[in-house]
Amino acid sequence: MNYMKMRMKGLFSQSFNLTKSMPAALLIFCMALAFPAGAFAEVTEAQQSRREITGIVTDTQGEPLPGVTVQVVGRQGGVITDVDGNYAIQAATGEEIRYQYVGMRSETAKVGTGSILNITMHEDVELLDEVTITAFATQKKESVVSSIETINPKELRVPSSNLTTALAGRLAGVISYQRSGEPGNDNAQFFVRGVTTFGYASSPLILLDGFEVSSTDLARVDPDNIEQFAVLKDATAAALYGSKGANGVIMVTTKKGVAGKPKISVRADGRLSAPTRVLETVDGVEYMKLYNEAQFNDNPLLSPYYTAQKIQNTADGLNEYAYPNLNWYDIMFKPNTFNQHYNMNISGGGTVVKYYLSVSYDKDTGILKDNKLNNFKNNIDIDRFNVLANITMDLTETTKMDINMNSIFENFTGPLDNTNDIFASVVATNPVEFPKFYLPDEKTAYVKHTLFGSDATGTMVNPFARMVRGYKDGSMGRITSQFSLDQDMGSLLEGLMARAKVSIKNDNRYENFRSYDPYLYNIKNYDEFTDTYELQQVHKGTDALGNPSIQRSGEFRLYMEGGLTYANTLNDIHDLSGLLIYTQEEMKNTGIWRADEMTIQRTLPQRNQGIRARVNYGLKEKYLAEASLTYTGSEKFDKSNRWGVFPAFGLGYLVSNEPFWEPMENIAPSFKLKYSWGKVGNDQIAGAADRFFFLSDIGGGGGYRWGKDFNSNYGGFNINRYANPMITWEIAVKRNIGFEMDFFKNRALKLIVEYFSENRRQIYQARANLPATMGLTSNVYGNVGEVKSGGFDGSIDLNHSFNKDTWLTGRFNFTFAQNEYVENEEPEYRWKYLSDIGWPINTWKGFIAERLFIDEADVHNSPVQELGSVPQAGDIKYKDINGDGRVNDDDQVHIGYPTVPEINYGFGLSAGHKNFDISTFFQGQDRVSFFIDPNARRGDNFGIAPFVGHRGALKIIADDHWNPNNPVSHAFWPRLSATLNQNNSRQNSTWWLRNGRFLRMKTLEVGYTFPSKWFQPASMVRVYFTGQNLFSISDFKLWDPEMGGNGLAYPLQRVYNVGLNVTF
Amino acid sequence: MKSKIFILSCIITLSALLPGCDYLDIVPDNTVQVGSLFENRDKALGALSTCYRYMPNYEKLHESMSLAGDEWLGRLDADHGENRGLQRGMQLMRGWNNSNDPILNYWAGGGGATSLYQGIRVCNIFFENIENVPDLTPAEKADWIAQVKILKAYYHFYLIRLYGPIVIADKNLEPFSPVEEVRQERQSVDSCFNYVLKSIDEVLYDANGNPRTELSVERESAYLGQVDQINARAIKAQVLITRASPLFNGNTEYFSNFKNKAGQTYFPMTYDPEKWKDALDGIKDAIDYAEARGKKLYTFQGQPKFWDVENFEESEIIQYAYNKRFSIVDGWNDELLWGYSGLDYEGQGGFAHATNMRSVADPTQAGYAWQWLGADYRMDELFYSRNGVPIEEDKTYTYDNRLQITEIPDDNYHKGYMQVGEKSIRLHLNREPRFYAWMVVDRSIWRTHDLANDVKMRYNEFPGGRGAQHTTDFYWTGIGVKKMVHPESGTGHWARVVKFPYPILRLSDLYLMYAEAYNEYNGPGQPAYEYLNRVRAVAGLPAIETVWSDGDIVKTVGKHTTKEGLRDIIQRERQIELSFEGHRYYDILRWKQADRYFVSPVKGFNTTGVDPEQFYVLMTLQPRRWQTPRDYLMPLPLSDINRNPNLVQNPGW
């Protein structure tokens, strides 16, 4: 079948299927212009000899199809088949009757002389694939020269209420990983073709039905509502987004109504969720011994912190309150939790109005324990409602209106503190200092409040008290409304259409933080003989919840576009299309609740404005060309540098449409080569608070006091930024070359491989060569950085039916994206290896750890390590790279792989036999490093350093550390220290570097579809089991390697999901 | 219908195009620019205030050089004592500094300090714009400019003391200048000193050497703490004596190999005695000028509190102890030449808060009275005996038995200062009044919280002692310091803390400078004794010539008659008189005596001792590391050496 035939067939079979989907409709709407107006005249003549035509519509298995729309071509109105598939319609000989049904390919039949027309409809498997949404329009997939990756939305359905967690390994060209498993806060990071800038923003632009949204908005999209999920990877695809497309574009389109009787689909999922791995902490007795060892290592002059008596009594398990020995993890967290997900959607409509309506509900809960003594819950508990309404109206034959309303409402409660902090506090608290709470003694027998434990000064944090001392509750509403109008202007010029669109988003979040101040107690006296203790209050708390502190945030976004599109085929060989679009958008006040963020710069709206034009040309369905030009402006820059011009072009060659390809037809029916080049801009080069680069920023700074009573206090100033009107766009020059190839007659195998490269220029960056003696109070910035990146991505799709009952599909995709600094503002290093030039961004610099110092003589005979403390035996010995006899920052080299994986891959297989189906998907990443954080910040304690401030310790540290009695040169943890050791814990080094590669079974799904007769009127009933994150293979065992250096955060979850899907 | 909608869509399309070009102009006009900081006098005062903001902090112990040296010892527990970001001056003495991430980095900012070059830049911005202030009288304008000139010179001087040769930042370099222009070189130490002296002289004298009058002589009440003619001269005196001192004057021992890229030494390699002459003249000028304007050594004139009335009648030393005690904490008294007034008025972290004892009434109330910063044992020994000579020099003082336990006698010498009848050691008895005015030892009496409190420092004793309830907040050496706490200071709220300016320069400092410069230039002589004796007299001590000639008291009779002997006496007097005020560290450096003091460990009493026998055992508490000559100069930050290849790192870093 050559391209021309296919195209014509597609045109005829689909031109009446206005309702299949919005993109399809749009494309076809354009194509419909190709019909001469005279066609309508012919139909009217035929009216005279109408008679009743009857028949039965069945599917390929001979089952009757109820609800099929039957229409006479060119005439308004129509009929619908009954339960048994019967219909009756008035038509004349020579007229064409069109049959439409959701999920079936439309059929047309010419009325002959008879009065019975029985029709068999075929399932439409290819329709989705045939058109692709591109920037501001749709294109036939075959004629696309851009690099656009689409995915079957079904594949995004994972047992998680967060869509972003499904992306890793599914899409060629997307690098993705998930760092936290906290419900509501578990977004995965994702980058299109890797991170290609070290500037402020490296995340892609996300468009939901053509309107910019945040990654959290994307996370909340119900996979059941997705019509198409596309990633725009190269310049021709993204250039039209001008100021925002430099990091790639993710485009999600929701389903549109399809004419026909209402089709209802209901889904229910129940999910059991538990951490993939749980951290092990050290037992109390060992903890105390090790603490004493640590303190001795720091200062042998001090007496042991824990007395031998206390250690012995704890070991003997004397009194659990006087001698506590706790596992804080078990005290604070449940082993698992149960979540639910429901979705119902209805689509249908007539010839004028079509609708798609969907309602979803999610219940997400966390694994935090509640305090039975409180009547409130501090566990994470989110109720989320997701309502989508897409309505399409054909106002006239040439005018179409779309209304899209997408709302998300959340009602939640949760802990007062950041959940990751709560998890980290388990490691930050030692097992022996105090119990979670005391049982009352004589004096406190009638006290109403909980007697939370603390140390003698009341300064140590009781993580349990901290967790249960309050809760937050709140609500969130996000409403997006979009209205668009498409006008066929064929009467002016064949193939011309006008369009206009307005989108508004309003987002409001409101949270109450309610808490009491826990009373803290400590044991004053413990009497061993009577086994009783006397408590003392070390911190006076409050009995009741205080007034809440309230946080509100909001975002308002307004987007407008208007323009013209054109598509036509001239003389049967020239396919010409184009568009000219004007857009403007505004965003105001996102999520500000901290007083220091309420600055003029931060709160002024962000605006963009631009004109975009594109021309596509195809010659004889073989040679394809595309060119585009975008002219956009941003409010961030000085007038002289405000506007940017971003051109792009692409070329395609459909080799398989050449006559000489004929012999290959059966082996490789389709083969396309494509190339593109273009420039894309990025105005997100600094945060909203630091935008107007042409202005200097002078803030208030503390002054100085004078006067007898120090009362003459005049506020001073601080220059936070020196004005620079030259600051302008960050620019990406992207190139893409690739081929697409189908194999075998039935196209069972499809291969796409693309090679890409990019130069990101003018990256906004601080000048690094201005010495301190200039006395500048802020960095001076310029558009100076440049990054070169490149790589390849590809996918293989397999699709084969062995027979009527047995099928197999498979998919493999692979992304390799690498980058390096080309220009980086850095000092004139005396040693060239210090330069970042030539190294990937996101690669850490650090010391090369050789081993641990054996003894003091070893320290003495080694290069001096000037890293903040005086090293001693058991500390990490670093390599003196430049051989100057001292180890300092000049000895840091690039170590490991980047912290963002260079390779992401995924593969999966699905198979079905009769009513059973099974599918599995594996996902992996490689060429990635992360660092164990050996720090111990007490504010946001994510490091694992033991003992600092009496923090707890991980079991692995107890098991494997340097010991003065057995000084080994390698151990997991160096010399124990009761403080944050500057030499060991505060330096980046290979000691803490780990390989972050892993391969995990991301999902496993087993399903069974009941025979459709069983549950009439339901047309389909399927039950399934899905497991997520069932196992992984990795060199790293301490925590889930996907969490990278964030190992103490809310752990990633393993989910066992049971679901039911019913379609009516 | 069709046409209507067609028109409608056209309208929508067109209206979207309408907003036009000013859609992106969203920045309001009146944002703050440099010029607007000098719009009027009121705003310009803010700019003047900003110039002062960069004054190195003298109040906050974690963010100042004042813990550097060997006077203090704070918390030793792992959280605090081993924390590089706390007690930074102390951490310098442990060999923890480096060029990677310098502690108290006054060069580039960081490690608890702000870059003084930023302060200098602000001063230059001030000069560039101050002419534009419309409502400033010419006299006031001239006064402000003169002040800022002195400040700028002081900032340079502060850098010289820390770093030796520095980059002179006389004019501001533009942020967008080519990189070659901004890579300045360090100037020789002499050029740096000369730059500072010239800047000060330009304010004080005209081209003919006649005094200029732009700078105010003194400050009215509302502007106390600003630079004036008196303290400008005192600053100059300090610069001159620093320049003449052995560290900077002909120091071939340390710095003969410390050369710039052209091969010239940064330090002068020949000793120039005339620098002492310049110092002597400058100090004399400063003293005369100050005295002519009413500055004098402090003597307590007020009414004693009711709980001290009886002591005032009977005690032999209380008048002198009061003189010295209040000479620091009685704010803006006549002895103070320049006080640090940039206090963190409502915050914590100052010396007053860390050194004050907790209120006996409320042991758990830690705020503003943390009771953990105390003195090294050597300070316990430093003060004179009651005869006004070092205890190791006093024949009547059995130095070898100084740790012997003895009962505090019921006499008029110790009355009101030691708890009669309690057990103490000989070391704490029969000392000079300044010892009782400023030092806190077990079984002494401390006037604080507006009360005379009995201090108890043994294990599980309160206030001051270590115990189960005070595991970190206690005097770790068993020796406290009262000098920085006003006797009426309370706890728990900032308003209860009595504020006073931390002394940067006071008259007794100038007197002692004079004696030192005189001795160095002329050798021993009456003028030197005279100024020494003035300082001693208010502390109740006999004249130098008398006591050092008395063979019944001193072991080395006539020590004051030799240049070396008198140097020793002057140095000891300085260390006592200016103890805990942030002078000792710089004095020891300029005398090149770090190897004598800074290498020995910090000692203290055994705070876990329950009875006197256990308590009065000397313990080594913290080893110290000092490398000569490296640690005499602070390291330039490595990052700046990398940014500016013209910079030469200080020796040893």
Side-chain angles (χ1 to χ4, degrees), chain A residues 301 399 489 582 584 605 607 609 642 696 702 704-705 707-708 712 714 716-717 770 772 774 828 868 886 889 949, chain B residues 5-6 16 19-20 23 25-26 33 49-50 53 79 98 100 121 183 221-222 224 332 341 620 640 643 652-653:
Chain A
L301 302 173
T399 312
M489 313 254 288
Y582 166 84
Q584 66 174 52
R607 286 183 179 169
Q609 192 179 21
R642 179 169 288 170
S696 61
Y704 190 79
R705 288 175 180 275
K708 187 164 186 307
S712 304
Y714 297 91
F717 64 84
L770 302 179
M774 286 178 76
E828 233 168 76
R886 56 184 66 215
D889 282 358
Chain B
I5 288 162
F6 174 71
Y23 180 69
D25 291 333
I26 58 168
Q33 301 298 310
S49 172
T50 308
R53 184 177 75 206
D79 287 349
N98 58 46
N100 234 16
R121 187 176 188 93
R183 288 180 173 162
S221 170
L224 286 173
W332 308 113
S341 55
T620 300
D640 223 39
R643 281 160 181 256
W653 292 109

Side-chain angles (χ1 to χ4, degrees), chain B residues 428-646:
Chain B
H428 296 158
L429 302 177
N430 298 306
R431 305 296 295 277
E432 61 162 316
R434 282 182 295 198
F435 178 84
Y436 298 106
W438 292 338
M439 301 298 286
V440 185
V441 293
D442 180 42
R443 268 47 183 181
S444 64
I445 295 167
W446 185 349
R447 290 150 185 81
T448 183
H449 302 281
D450 212 1
L451 273 177
N453 301 274
D454 287 345
V455 178
K456 296 171 186 163
M457 294 217 190
R458 295 172 205 154
Y459 191 74
N460 261 338
E461 286 188 340
F462 184 79
R466 176 184 203 155
Q469 302 301 318
H470 297 279
T471 54
T472 55
D473 292 348
F474 63 93
Y475 301 107
W476 285 70
T477 55
I479 304 161
V481 180
K482 305 173 197 166
K483 198 174 188 180
M484 293 298 163
V485 184
H486 194 284
E488 290 166 30
S489 253
T491 177
H493 192 271
W494 62 265
R496 296 197 194 115
V497 179
V498 179
K499 309 292 193 304
F500 57 90
Y502 283 68
I504 304 172
L505 287 162
R506 55 191 181 100
L507 194 57
S508 58
D509 188 2
L510 281 186
Y511 286 180
L512 294 169
M513 282 186 209
Y514 181 86
E516 182 181 344
Y518 187 91
N519 184 46
E520 294 299 333
Y521 190 65
N522 300 312
Q526 199 52 44
Y529 302 150
E530 163 64 20
Y531 280 106
L532 273 174
N533 289 338
R534 286 198 200 180
V535 173
R536 291 167 65 91
V538 287
L541 300 176
I544 291 284
E545 314 89 286
T546 322
V547 71
W548 282 99
S549 307
D550 189 341
D552 293 336
I553 295 175
V554 295
K555 291 175 183 164
T556 322
V557 179
K559 188 176 183 180
H560 64 293
T561 57
T562 65
K563 188 174 181 176
E564 288 69 32
L566 185 58
R567 181 187 289 149
D568 225 27
I569 292 169
I570 294 166
Q571 288 181 352
R572 183 71 170 252
E573 193 69 53
R574 241 188 114 75
Q575 289 176 350
I576 297 169
E577 174 64 22
L578 300 173
S579 58
F580 306 112
E581 289 177 47
H583 289 280
R584 183 176 160 110
Y585 175 78
Y586 294 114
D587 284 341
I588 284 172
L589 293 198
R590 69 185 174 86
W591 295 332
K592 290 170 64 180
Q593 291 179 347
D595 279 335
R596 185 167 147 197
Y597 294 103
F598 293 164
V599 290
S600 54
V602 178
K603 292 182 179 177
F605 296 116
N606 175 20
T607 49
T608 54
V610 180
D611 52 39
E613 285 72 21
Q614 293 170 350
F615 182 83
Y616 289 112
V617 174
L618 273 184
M619 311 281 287
T620 300
L621 295 174
Q622 188 182 59
R624 291 283 167 103
R625 279 168 189 261
W626 181 273
Q627 280 186 40
T628 299
R630 187 191 77 172
D631 289 325
Y632 273 88
L633 299 177
M634 299 272 263
L636 299 195
L638 188 63
S639 59
D640 223 39
I641 303 253
N642 281 330
R643 281 160 181 256
N644 181 358
N646 291 332

Side-chain angles (χ1 to χ4, degrees), chain A residues 291 298-299 301-303 395-396 398-399 456-457 483 485 487 489 492 498-502 536 560-563 582 584-586 600 604-609 633-635 639 642-643 691-692 694-696 698 701-712 714-719 722-724 767-777 779-781 827-830 834 847 866-870 886 888-890 938 947-950 978-980 982 987, chain B residues 1-2 5-6 8-9 12-13 16-17 19-28 31-34 37-38 42 45-50 52-55 76-79 82-84 94-96 98-100 107-108 115 117-118 121-122 125 167 169 172-179 182-184 221-226 332 339-343 345-346 466 468-469 471 476 499-501 608 620-623 625 630 638 640-645 652-653:
Chain A
Y291 188 94
D298 289 338
N299 188 349
L301 302 173
L302 302 178
S303 44
L395 298 180
T396 70
T398 58
T399 312
T457 56
F483 170 82
L485 210 55
Q487 175 62 45
M489 313 254 288
L492 288 178
R499 60 189 286 187
K501 181 175 173 185
V502 179
Q536 64 170 350
M560 286 190 254
E561 78 175 48
Y582 166 84
Q584 66 174 52
E585 81 181 300
E586 173 178 279
I600 285 195
L604 285 171
Q606 301 190 42
R607 286 183 179 169
N608 271 103
Q609 192 179 21
S634 164
E635 91 289 358
K639 273 190 177 156
R642 179 169 288 170
W643 291 85
R691 273 186 292 166
F692 304 104
F694 48 92
L695 298 176
S696 61
I698 298 181
Y704 190 79
R705 288 175 180 275
W706 299 300
K708 187 164 186 307
D709 299 316
F710 311 95
N711 285 336
S712 304
Y714 297 91
F717 64 84
N718 241 340
I719 300 182
Y722 299 93
N724 185 356
R767 283 185 65 177
N769 48 20
L770 302 179
T773 49
M774 286 178 76
L776 300 173
T777 44
N779 280 323
V780 174
Y781 289 85
E828 233 168 76
Y829 289 121
R830 282 162 293 169
L834 291 169
F847 296 104
E866 299 184 328
L867 301 171
S869 61
V870 179
R886 56 184 66 215
N888 57 22
D889 282 358
D890 278 358
R938 270 206 273 180
F947 308 127
V948 182
H950 298 276
T979 182
L980 200 56
Q982 295 282 334
Q987 311 300 333
Chain B
M1 181 67 180
K2 185 175 163 184
I5 288 162
F6 174 71
L8 183 71
S9 56
I12 291 170
T13 312
L17 291 164
C21 298
D22 57 355
Y23 180 69
L24 300 176
D25 291 333
I26 58 168
V27 181
T31 52
V32 184
Q33 301 298 310
V34 174
L37 299 169
F38 293 88
D42 208 43
L45 254 176
L48 181 64
S49 172
T50 308
Y52 275 88
R53 184 177 75 206
Y54 293 88
M55 277 293 293
L76 290 181
D77 60 289
D79 287 349
E82 303 295 318
N83 189 332
R84 197 166 186 264
R94 303 174 65 193
W96 283 19
N98 58 46
S99 61
N100 234 16
W107 186 278
S115 166
Y117 282 110
Q118 293 184 4
R121 187 176 188 93
V122 169
I125 291 174
V167 169
N172 277 353
L173 300 167
E174 285 313 306
F176 301 99
S177 341
V179 89
V182 300
R183 288 180 173 162
Q184 295 171 283
S221 170
Y223 296 113
L224 286 173
Q226 289 185 349
W332 308 113
Y340 179 78
S341 55
L343 306 184
Y345 199 70
E346 297 168 16
R466 176 184 203 155
Q469 302 301 318
T471 54
W476 285 70
K499 309 292 193 304
F500 57 90
T608 54
T620 300
L621 295 174
Q622 188 182 59
R625 279 168 189 261
R630 187 191 77 172
L638 188 63
D640 223 39
I641 303 253
N642 281 330
R643 281 160 181 256
N644 181 358
W653 292 109

Side-chain angles (χ1 to χ4, degrees), chain A residues 628-942:
Chain A
S628 68
L629 195 66
T630 308
Y631 182 65
T632 53
S634 164
E635 91 289 358
K636 299 173 180 66
F637 308 123
D638 184 62
K639 273 190 177 156
S640 57
N641 287 301
R642 179 169 288 170
W643 291 85
V645 180
F646 305 108
F649 74 90
L651 299 169
Y653 179 30
L654 272 156
V655 186
S656 53
N657 284 355
E658 292 282 4
F660 63 72
W661 194 262
E662 207 79 31
M664 297 287 288
E665 223 21 19
N666 287 340
I667 307 156
S670 155
F671 180 49
K672 180 165 82 174
L673 294 171
K674 59 189 184 180
Y675 171 79
S676 74
W677 177 96
K679 267 165 91 171
V680 197
N682 179 15
D683 70 342
Q684 300 285 319
I685 60 173
D690 186 22
R691 273 186 292 166
F692 304 104
F693 309 100
F694 48 92
L695 298 176
S696 61
D697 176 13
I698 298 181
Y704 190 79
R705 288 175 180 275
W706 299 300
K708 187 164 186 307
D709 299 316
F710 311 95
N711 285 336
S712 304
N713 186 18
Y714 297 91
F717 64 84
N718 241 340
I719 300 182
N720 301 324
R721 184 175 64 211
Y722 299 93
N724 185 356
M726 305 297 289
I727 300 289
T728 185
W729 302 85
E730 181 180 306
I731 287 172
V733 177
K734 291 171 184 269
R735 285 165 294 270
N736 187 67
I737 184 161
F739 69 89
E740 295 169 17
M741 205 163 180
D742 290 347
F743 291 95
F744 308 123
K745 204 172 178 185
N746 62 357
R747 299 184 185 226
L749 194 68
K750 190 176 176 68
L751 172 68
I752 302 177
V753 178
E754 289 179 7
Y755 167 78
F756 55 89
S757 69
E758 174 177 333
N759 275 61
R760 187 69 69 100
R761 297 194 189 121
Q762 296 180 199
I763 298 172
Y764 179 70
Q765 158 174 50
R767 283 185 65 177
N769 48 20
L770 302 179
T773 49
M774 286 178 76
L776 300 173
T777 44
S778 103
N779 280 323
V780 174
Y781 289 85
N783 289 101
V784 280
E786 181 174 345
V787 170
K788 182 170 87 180
S789 58
F792 60 93
D793 53 39
S795 60
I796 300 171
D797 278 279
L798 181 72
N799 198 339
H800 185 67
S801 294
F802 295 96
N803 52 49
K804 196 160 94 34
D805 294 329
T806 313
W807 53 268
L808 176 74
T809 63
R811 180 172 169 82
F812 170 75
N813 66 68
F814 185 86
T815 310
F816 172 67
Q818 227 179 6
N819 59 58
E820 68 178 62
Y821 282 96
V822 176
E823 289 288 337
N824 183 39
E825 183 61 19
E826 53 192 34
E828 233 168 76
Y829 289 121
R830 282 162 293 169
W831 289 283
K832 289 301 159 209
Y833 58 81
L834 291 169
S835 170
D836 283 331
I837 307 288
W839 288 93
I841 55 177
N842 293 314
T843 305
W844 284 28
K845 272 205 300 201
F847 296 104
I848 294 181
E850 295 186 311
R851 57 180 168 83
L852 301 174
F853 285 118
I854 303 296
D855 51 29
E856 293 307 318
D858 190 14
V859 177
H860 189 74
N861 294 327
S862 300
V864 188
Q865 297 192 179
E866 299 184 328
L867 301 171
S869 61
V870 179
Q872 56 191 83
D875 284 342
I876 302 171
K877 173 173 158 59
Y878 300 112
K879 191 167 181 170
D880 176 18
I881 303 283
N882 56 22
D884 63 352
R886 56 184 66 215
V887 174
N888 57 22
D889 282 358
D890 278 358
D891 295 299
Q892 295 204 3
V893 295
H894 294 81
I895 50 178
Y897 295 115
T899 50
V900 173
E902 289 185 335
I903 291 177
N904 247 201
Y905 59 95
F907 54 88
L909 275 179
S910 303
H913 179 68
K914 289 191 173 157
N915 294 338
F916 284 100
D917 61 82
I918 180 165
S919 61
T920 177
F921 183 75
F922 288 84
Q923 176 245 319
Q925 62 181 38
D926 208 330
R927 292 181 66 83
V928 58
S929 289
F930 68 91
F931 288 82
I932 294 173
D933 183 356
N935 259 296
R937 287 182 297 273
R938 270 206 273 180
D940 50 339
N941 17 105
F942 288 101

Side-chain angles (χ1 to χ4, degrees), chain B residues 244-413:
Chain B
S245 297
L247 181 65
F248 294 98
N249 193 358
N251 189 350
T252 50
E253 191 187 352
Y254 296 166
F255 299 125
S256 57
N257 289 323
F258 182 29
K259 293 173 180 166
N260 66 13
K261 299 236 153 133
Q264 296 149 325
T265 55
Y266 280 114
F267 282 72
M269 283 297 109
T270 44
Y271 174 75
D272 179 4
E274 291 309 308
K275 284 177 179 164
W276 285 111
K277 178 73 171 85
D278 292 343
L280 192 60
D281 295 344
I283 298 162
K284 190 73 169 76
D285 179 42
I287 291 174
D288 292 347
Y289 192 91
E291 286 181 341
R293 278 145 193 91
K295 294 290 177 187
K296 55 175 188 291
L297 295 186
Y298 182 87
T299 49
F300 180 76
Q301 309 288 348
Q303 281 295 315
K305 283 276 182 177
F306 65 93
W307 30 260
D308 259 348
V309 173
E310 191 193 330
N311 292 329
F312 251 83
E313 287 162 5
E314 295 171 3
S315 167
E316 292 171 30
I317 63 165
I318 195 164
Q319 176 64 43
Y320 305 116
Y322 261 60
N323 285 349
K324 299 318 291 184
R325 180 93 166 84
F326 282 91
S327 67
I328 307 300
V329 297
D330 189 0
W332 308 113
N333 63 58
D334 289 337
E335 186 174 338
L336 186 74
L337 304 180
W338 195 18
Y340 179 78
S341 55
L343 306 184
D344 183 5
Y345 199 70
E346 297 168 16
Q348 298 204 58
F351 280 90
H353 316 132
T355 54
N356 198 4
M357 187 171 71
R358 289 203 183 162
S359 152
V360 179
D362 185 1
T364 62
Q365 183 49 265
Y368 300 90
W370 292 92
Q371 71 168 34
W372 58 255
L373 184 62
D376 185 354
Y377 169 74
R378 75 190 65 195
M379 302 304 283
D380 206 1
E381 285 200 7
L382 177 74
F383 287 82
Y384 294 146
S385 69
R386 63 193 288 179
N387 293 318
V389 293
I391 52 173
E392 66 274 18
E393 273 283 354
D394 192 334
K395 283 182 171 171
T396 68
Y397 203 94
T398 46
Y399 180 77
D400 292 339
N401 292 335
R402 64 194 187 283
L403 294 183
Q404 200 174 70
I405 291 161
T406 180
E407 191 171 301
I408 297 168
D410 185 5
D411 61 18
N412 285 343
Y413 195 84

